[in-house]
Amino acid sequence: MRITNFSRSIALQQRAHQLIPAGAHTYSKADDQFPELSPGFIVRGKGAYVWDLDGNQYIDWGMGLRSVILGHAYEPVLSMVREQLELGSNFTRPSPIEVELAEILVDTIPSAQMVKYAKNGSDVTAAAVRLARAYTGRKYIAICREHPFFSFYDWFIGSTPVDAGIPEEIKQLTLKFSYNNIASLEELFDSYPGQIAAVIMEPVQAAPPRENFLQRVRQLCDQNGTVMILDEMITGFRMDIQGAQKLFNVKPDLATFGKAIANGFSLAVLAGKREIMELGGIHHDKPKVFLLSATNGAETHALAAGIATINELKKNDVPLYIAGIGQKLIDGINDIAASMNLSQYIRAYGYPCSPVLEFKDQEGNASLPFRTLFLQETIAGGVLMPYIAVSYAHGECELSATLAAVEKALIVYKKSLSDGLNKYLTGRPVKPVFRKYN
Ligand SMILES: Cc1ncc(COP(=O)(O)O)c(C=O)c1O
């Protein structure tokens, strides 16, 4: 049965846009990222499923912007959170649970000697940058241009097209190099000798590091006295419990984690070398770094969620499990595309824990309108797949239902390649998040 009723969502969307800029608190959740025929609001989730405001049920592959790695409302996490909630969520002095989680993280993450908590990934990447600047006494930051998002703060957003409100002086401090192109980073070090405080990048996205790229970045950072920061917001606890840094055998000076670490509860972690992290401490005689200091930074039930999630990830070897499901999904989608002679237009690829989908138009160009059509048609078939975050709750049943919905969607995709998109796509296509004007 095709899902067609979004009437309650549409009514609430009007109200949301009057009350909330963009109608959402994360741009990637906003209406412009989804087709017009899509659920405007999610009311609840359980396991791999979510229900929208109109009562429609979906298999969810977005999983709360990749944060929900075990499944929605996962009981072992909820029960530890409930226990903690009964004890109170915020106190006038630290709670012992802060130390308990810190011990687990330092034991788990190879590069972690000390940790500091926050509520968002943006906060910990920004803290890493400030720490690196204080440690080195330098101002420039080198970021990897292929990696789309590190933080909503000025040092990063100033480097995107959505740079309104950010002074030129700040923008000039962020430099760019390319992944798997060590010469591009060498050039930056040559052009700004002794001036680059930090290199920040994700360890890996869909394409693997080539020719020891990560080790060579490490080496360049060492040679230039620059802090190497790995942003493991997506890879951490998903690609490997110990992070991509373990898998690729590279030791950053600082690393950032979030998303999967607490199964959808608000927790992000800055982890790193004692020598650098200690600058944020209160027992040294160097200038003190105001590292992270927030009223709700160590909300106890979020830390309980972190402990419970890491326990479950380890106990069930979740990274291994999700890689298995992810590989079947990649193969399944590519097989369907091949059987319909659509391989040149639709492709699933990347690491199985984070598969990526590519959509092309008749000319072979990457196409947001065709991506939108695919989303529209899979949503109609009860699958919400704006991107793919495989979780422990996705099993064979969800896999086969998803592939059935993909097959139906591709029939429409194929027709629109020949008959034109307008005949099949309702409303406007999705837009890039990072755009200067709406
Ligand atoms: C690689 C990466 N770094 C940082 C962030 C920012 O994290 P948050 O949304 O928790 O602020 C994200 C979020 O999408 C991310 O993907």
Side-chain angles (χ1 to χ4, degrees):
M1 203 180 62
R2 210 175 148 84
I3 295 176
T4 54
N5 179 19
F6 304 105
S7 53
R8 286 188 182 178
S9 269
I10 291 166
L12 191 60
Q13 274 167 337
Q14 320 274 337
R15 193 74 191 119
H17 283 278
Q18 282 169 2
L19 296 168
I20 300 164
H25 286 87
T26 318
Y27 281 112
S28 54
K29 291 188 184 183
D31 295 341
D32 60 3
Q33 299 305 300
F34 289 84
E36 269 177 26
L37 300 180
S38 66
F41 296 87
I42 306 290
V43 173
R44 70 185 176 94
K46 187 71 191 168
Y49 295 86
V50 290
W51 288 264
D52 73 9
L53 193 54
D54 290 277
N56 303 309
Q57 175 183 315
Y58 306 89
I59 297 172
D60 182 17
W61 291 95
M63 300 305 282
L65 316 178
R66 298 190 166 92
S67 66
V68 183
I69 193 168
L70 295 167
H72 293 290
Y74 185 78
E75 191 47 42
V77 175
L78 289 189
S79 70
M80 228 175 132
V81 166
R82 275 189 215 106
E83 242 173 68
Q84 185 58 53
L85 280 174
E86 293 299 327
L87 301 175
S89 59
N90 206 353
F91 308 116
T92 315
R93 303 236 40 209
S95 159
I97 199 169
E98 297 177 33
V99 185
E100 189 183 338
L101 176 59
E103 300 271 21
I104 295 171
L105 291 167
V106 166
D107 283 348
T108 306
I109 302 164
S111 65
Q113 293 177 325
M114 297 184 91
V115 293
K116 187 98 178 168
Y117 309 132
K119 305 308 286 176
N120 298 288
S122 286
D123 299 331
V124 285
T125 49
V129 163
R130 180 182 298 156
L131 204 47
R133 283 178 164 152
Y135 180 71
T136 58
R138 303 172 181 178
K139 60 185 181 183
Y140 289 99
I141 303 297
I143 68 173
C144 186
R145 70 161 55 78
E146 289 80 13
H147 297 169
F149 192 56
F150 293 111
S151 189
F152 54 64
Y153 291 108
D154 291 4
W155 68 270
F156 172 70
I157 288 298
S159 74
T160 74
V162 212
D163 58 357
I166 301 170
E168 198 53 42
E169 292 87 336
I170 303 281
K171 292 193 229 170
Q172 283 169 3
L173 301 180
T174 299
L175 313 169
K176 293 188 179 177
F177 65 96
S178 287
Y179 195 77
N180 273 337
N181 181 345
I182 201 69
S184 68
L185 185 58
E186 281 165 348
E187 275 166 32
L188 286 187
F189 279 121
D190 288 346
S191 306
Y192 297 85
Q195 296 172 75
I196 299 179
V199 168
I200 180 165
M201 61 193 291
E202 293 185 65
V204 66
Q205 285 201 319
R210 284 197 314 263
E211 295 164 359
N212 293 322
F213 181 69
L214 297 171
Q215 285 70 25
R216 292 172 79 190
V217 172
R218 173 72 275 177
Q219 209 175 19
L220 278 181
C221 287
D222 287 341
Q223 285 163 1
N224 289 279
T226 295
V227 174
M228 179 179 181
I229 306 168
L230 281 185
D231 181 348
E232 295 233 40
M233 219 66 66
I234 292 176
T235 53
F237 299 92
R238 172 174 293 280
M239 190 165 258
D240 190 289
I241 307 260
Q242 297 187 273
Q245 56 188 269
K246 167 75 178 174
L247 208 61
F248 295 107
N249 192 24
V250 58
K251 218 167 190 180
D253 299 303
L254 299 173
T256 55
F257 295 84
K259 299 207 186 261
I261 199 170
N263 203 45
F265 285 87
S266 175
L267 175 64
V269 172
L270 170 65
K273 256 189 187 165
R274 182 178 313 284
E275 189 188 338
I276 305 176
M277 294 287 286
E278 247 306 325
L279 289 180
I282 52 174
H283 293 305
H284 62 81
D285 51 13
K286 304 200 177 89
K288 176 179 153 188
V289 175
F290 204 78
L291 188 49
L292 283 159
S293 179
T295 301
N296 293 304
E299 195 177 43
T300 55
H301 60 269
L303 304 188
I307 293 172
T309 302
I310 295 170
N311 283 345
E312 289 295 309
L313 292 173
K314 287 182 175 170
K315 191 173 86 188
N316 302 302
D317 199 349
V318 171
L320 184 71
Y321 176 83
I322 62 178
I325 296 289
Q327 190 60 54
K328 286 184 185 171
L329 188 62
I330 290 175
D331 294 343
I333 292 173
N334 287 337
D335 287 349
I336 294 168
S339 73
M340 297 171 74
N341 281 330
L342 287 173
S343 298
Q344 66 197 101
Y345 304 105
I346 293 125
R347 184 169 74 103
Y349 65 101
Y351 284 93
C353 64
S354 284
V356 179
L357 293 178
E358 180 179 74
F359 301 98
K360 291 188 173 164
D361 62 16
Q362 295 91 335
E363 277 79 49
N365 298 317
S367 167
L368 285 180
F370 274 98
R371 172 177 286 278
T372 314
L373 179 72
F374 178 85
L375 270 178
Q376 171 187 292
E377 292 304 309
T378 43
I379 284 169
V383 170
L384 192 54
M385 197 159 53
Y387 39 84
I388 304 175
V390 186
S391 85
Y392 191 47
H394 290 98
E396 294 297 333
C397 168
E398 289 72 29
L399 204 54
S400 56
T402 298
L403 292 176
V406 166
E407 185 160 11
K408 280 191 184 161
L410 292 198
I411 293 171
V412 180
Y413 198 108
K414 187 165 184 166
K415 283 191 206 159
S416 30
L417 280 168
S418 50
D419 303 352
L421 203 61
N422 291 346
K423 212 168 154 195
Y424 300 96
L425 179 64
T426 302
R428 41 95 204 122
V430 300
K431 295 179 179 174
V433 168
F434 300 108
R435 61 184 193 271
K436 193 152 188 83
Y437 297 102
N438 282 314

